[in-house]
Amino acid sequence: MLLIGVNRSPYTRRVAITLKAYGVPFEQQSLSAFTNRAEVRANNPLGRIPALVLDSGETLVDSGAIVDHLDEAYGGDRPLTPTKGADRRAVLKVAALMMGACDKALQAAYTRNHTPAEKVHQPWIDDCNAQVVNALAAVDTMVDPAQPYLLLGRLTQADVTAFVAERLARGIGLDTEAQAPRLRALTKKLLGEPPFGATEPPAT
Ligand SMILES: N[C@@H](CCC(=O)N[C@@H](CS)C(=O)NCC(=O)O)C(=O)O
């Protein structure tokens, strides 16, 4: 199995953490959607990371679709996203908030990095960042510091997505220690667990 993408990407890292949590062996080709455009587009016509090439040769794209497959193939009766009911809805809600926060954080970053300086509209960046902070703050209220994980007393996709979103928020300069302190404490704790620690991208 081959994971395509750099772990600096929250979506790629989400998949890498999920693979490791399930104990699935995989190789990784650390390609960036911007500096390795042709290779990424050869695997995903949309030109985005992550993509996952299965041993059969089939290629899956989009982190949500990929983790859905991994749940089905390796999750047994305790997949990282529960299969039904209130537990499933609760995990999917956190995942939606956290993946949406990543989308907004990247919109802000792309605006800053891919727009001529004189055309950058700072209020738009500020608004994207405010949405990121609001989503993180909402998830922060769900954290019970006495519990090892966000929901259900076990590792779920809620933890995985909250972890990568909080990491990205810090990466773009947001003060998660101040804005989402319980979530920040949880991500520090999670970093000590192999799927999270082993996927930390190299410092640039
Ligand atoms: N919804 C997608 C988002 C993937 C995504 O936006 N990846 C970024 C890297 S962090 C990317 O490839 N950006 C390049 C682009 O959008 O052109 C997922 O969950 O996989």
Side-chain angles (χ1 to χ4, degrees), residues 16 54-55 68 78 112 145 171 190:
L54 304 181
D55 293 340
D68 187 61
R78 272 163 75 91
R112 200 179 295 109
L190 290 173

Side-chain angles (χ1 to χ4, degrees), residues 9-11 14 33-34 47-50 62-64 99 103 106 110:
S9 155
Y11 314 99
R14 173 193 192 191
F34 294 104
R48 282 183 164 169
I49 53 169
D62 196 286
S63 67
M99 289 293 92
D103 296 344
L106 287 176
Y110 292 166

Side-chain angles (χ1 to χ4, degrees), residues 82-93 151-152:
T83 50
K84 57 181 169 42
D87 288 353
R88 178 174 175 81
R89 292 197 300 278
V91 169
L92 285 177
K93 182 171 181 180
L151 301 174
L152 314 184

Side-chain angles (χ1 to χ4, degrees), residues 6 13 19 31 34 38 42 47 56 59 72 77 89 95 107 117 120 124-125 138 149 154 156 158 168 170 176 185 192:
V6 284
R13 191 170 181 188
L19 284 163
L31 299 179
F34 294 104
S56 64
T59 301
E72 187 184 32
D77 55 6
R89 292 197 300 278
Q107 277 190 31
V120 169
W124 167 245
I125 293 178
Y149 300 108
R154 68 174 179 93
T156 71
L168 176 64
R170 267 186 295 121
T176 60

